[in-house]
Amino acid sequence: MMKDFTFQTPDWQPGLREQFPVTRTWAFFDSAYETGGADFLRSASEQYFTEKSDFYPGIPMKGGSGKGSAVRRIEETRELLADLVHAPDGHHVAFAANTCQAIVMALQNFPFGENDNVVVGDIEHVSVLYPVLSLKNRGVAVRLVHPENEWSLTAESLLRQVDEHTRFVVVSYVQSASGYRIDLKKLALECHKRGCFVLTDAIQALGFTDVNMQKLGVDCLVGSGYKGLLSVEGGGFACFRDELLEKLSPYLPGPNPVLVLDRSTGSFHCTDERDARKLEVGTLPFHTIYCLNESLKQIQRIGITAIADYVEQCFMVVYESLTALGYQIDTPLERHCHSMLVDTEDKERMAAFFQENGVFLNAGHGAHIRLAVAPFTSEEDIRRLLHVAKQWQLQEQVSKQLREEGK
């Protein structure tokens, strides 16, 4: 029997929730996939198109960095991202088309040598695996790590594959499939002792919890805006520490503010090796950056600590209430973030049942459904989820009884 729970809704939450149209239709528990778009993103889009047509004498024209007001907004967004993840400054942030390309940006620009290897878990999202596996074409060995179980990839299991020839360990801070949060600080500390860098895909953590790349010790952090950062698809980014950044040379160079082309000699050079913009290739995703700019300002106004505390409250209420109902949750409580795997014998039918009853979630990894809370999750959403969870149990009990009687 599930006990009732107490819940505290902070003053900022109803206003943020109102910005997300998906909440008017669903109790939405699929933020590990996306957050559905917000009304403030419509306003950011309108601002983009307004400023795009704003031509005037002396308008800044800077090639790949943009023109007019976009130049300022792009640089402002770099600073907002740097502030969010505690990167040194905005020039340690490079934009890409998506998370996958941000990983490519870091790995393909690195000067790998003979016998070098990279370590990665085999349960990683394909957006992580493809860029790593592509290094085989350059003669880099890829060491695939199979975890102890299907949902937990630990620092210890990765470190067992690290040797003197390992140049990177590539890992998601929070696993997309399971919601498992790795001990990234321990991993980075041990990797640095052994002379290798740590690249982390933080898309499943950003916006749901405070991510401090300096305290974690990671050398490159990549992500995108359409999940916890409450923005849209079509843009990714990479944030670097100096120790890695100064080793990277543009593998696929293109127009950007840091590269200078000498047409007379057919050569180019970089004006600052510690400026991540040297890795950008041509025109940036302006529209997406406008949207991300506004999303980051929304998060900044509320405060990431306040958001993280609220997401944690929502997660714990759902976790404890489902457990009390008898559900088995396989995401380890001590290593969680905002999503969880709930064990089930028929994930497709269970997910469909929840959706038919107004709760949006999806079938997950293995024999599970995956559900995830968000900053706009409400107490009403959680109560609706738990009500449907009890209905599902009753339906399954009746079905089981009928099957037994029919034998």
Side-chain angles (χ1 to χ4, degrees):
M1 177 68 67
M2 183 189 71
K3 296 180 181 179
D4 200 15
F5 57 84
T6 58
F7 197 86
Q8 297 293 324
T9 301
D11 294 340
W12 56 264
Q13 200 275 344
L16 179 68
R17 176 181 172 81
E18 182 62 27
Q19 292 286 325
F20 288 84
V22 69
T23 64
R24 300 163 203 166
T25 306
W26 298 94
F28 190 80
F29 287 91
D30 203 23
S31 64
Y33 184 72
E34 67 165 299
T35 48
D39 289 339
F40 59 73
L41 298 176
R42 296 179 186 271
S43 299
S45 297
E46 291 175 2
Q47 187 69 23
Y48 163 69
F49 287 111
T50 297
E51 294 184 357
K52 183 174 176 61
S53 63
D54 185 20
F55 288 82
Y56 51 86
I59 182 174
M61 303 288 285
K62 294 188 178 180
S65 290
K67 63 181 172 77
S69 300
V71 175
R72 174 188 57 79
R73 200 168 297 269
I74 289 168
E75 296 310 305
E76 180 183 65
T77 308
R78 293 186 202 275
E79 294 296 335
L80 288 168
L81 277 170
D83 182 65
L84 179 74
V85 303
H86 305 271
D89 57 48
H91 286 180
H92 286 72
V93 177
F95 288 112
N98 48 56
T99 307
C100 189
Q101 287 192 14
I103 297 173
V104 170
M105 178 186 292
L107 296 180
Q108 290 292 353
N109 290 319
F110 187 81
F112 288 102
E114 188 177 359
N115 299 322
D116 283 349
N117 68 72
V118 173
V119 174
V120 66
D122 64 6
I123 65 168
E124 288 287 353
H125 193 280
V126 291
S127 293
V128 175
L129 279 175
Y130 278 135
V132 176
L133 294 174
S134 71
L135 293 174
K136 292 181 179 181
N137 297 327
R138 293 179 57 190
V140 179
V142 175
R143 296 184 172 182
L144 290 173
V145 177
H146 187 68
E148 289 84 353
N149 57 53
E150 63 181 310
W151 49 81
S152 301
L153 180 64
T154 65
E156 290 78 10
S157 62
L158 291 167
L159 288 167
R160 281 194 288 270
Q161 293 298 319
V162 174
D163 64 17
E164 67 273 18
H165 298 292
T166 304
R167 296 295 163 257
F168 281 92
V169 172
V170 182
V171 66
S172 294
Y173 186 19
V174 175
Q175 284 294 321
S176 172
S178 67
Y180 176 85
R181 175 160 50 176
I182 195 169
D183 188 345
L184 201 53
K185 185 175 182 178
K186 176 180 180 179
L187 177 66
L189 180 63
E190 291 300 318
C191 282
H192 290 164
K193 288 179 182 178
R194 305 176 196 195
C196 70
F197 296 108
V198 174
L199 185 160
T200 189
D201 175 3
I203 193 172
Q204 291 288 348
L206 292 167
F208 299 113
T209 189
D210 188 14
V211 179
N212 187 323
M213 66 179 293
Q214 298 295 330
K215 289 184 178 180
L216 292 171
V218 296
D219 303 287
C220 179
L221 180 149
V222 304
S224 186
Y226 65 96
K227 298 187 182 186
L229 296 185
L230 311 177
S231 191
V232 296
E233 298 89 346
F237 50 84
C239 308
F240 298 90
R241 293 178 69 197
D242 284 337
E243 290 81 359
L244 173 59
L245 190 56
E246 62 190 9
K247 291 182 178 293
L248 304 180
S249 298
Y251 172 78
L252 182 63
N256 65 54
V258 192
L259 295 186
V260 177
L261 175 64
D262 186 335
R263 295 179 184 271
S264 64
T265 62
S267 62
F268 64 88
H269 71 276
C270 179
T271 60
D272 186 353
E273 294 295 341
R274 293 187 173 187
D275 192 324
R277 295 179 298 173
K278 68 182 181 180
L279 305 176
E280 294 174 345
V281 184
T283 304
L284 300 177
F286 287 9
H287 185 194
T288 302
I289 292 173
Y290 268 69
C291 291
L292 181 59
N293 181 280
E294 182 55 38
S295 295
L296 292 170
K297 287 177 179 175
Q298 294 279 340
I299 292 171
Q300 188 180 67
R301 280 192 284 269
I302 298 168
I304 188 59
T305 300
I307 292 173
D309 288 345
Y310 182 71
V311 168
E312 174 70 4
Q313 176 190 207
C314 292
F315 180 96
M316 290 304 302
V317 167
V318 171
Y319 188 102
E320 292 172 354
S321 298
L322 288 176
T323 301
L325 283 172
Y327 284 91
Q328 177 180 319
I329 300 174
D330 286 334
T331 301
L333 183 59
E334 68 276 10
R335 303 299 318 166
H336 73 274
C337 185
H338 77 293
S339 63
M340 65 185 78
L341 287 181
V342 182
D343 189 67
T344 176
E345 295 180 356
D346 192 339
K347 63 181 181 181
E348 299 292 348
R349 192 165 62 87
M350 183 176 178
F353 179 85
F354 273 72
Q355 291 183 13
E356 289 164 4
N357 288 275
V359 177
F360 197 93
L361 48 75
N362 273 300
H365 181 69
H368 302 92
I369 59 167
R370 182 181 69 173
L371 64 89
V373 299
F376 54 72
T377 300
S378 69
E379 179 180 358
E380 180 184 356
D381 289 338
I382 295 174
R383 293 192 181 278
R384 192 172 181 180
L385 169 72
L386 298 176
H387 174 71
V388 176
K390 287 188 285 187
Q391 287 184 313
W392 170 256
Q393 286 181 321
L394 291 173
Q395 174 182 283
E396 289 302 281
Q397 289 171 4
V398 171
S399 296
K400 181 178 179 181
Q401 183 178 351
L402 290 174
R403 289 194 300 270
E404 292 175 348
E405 291 174 353
K407 289 181 179 179

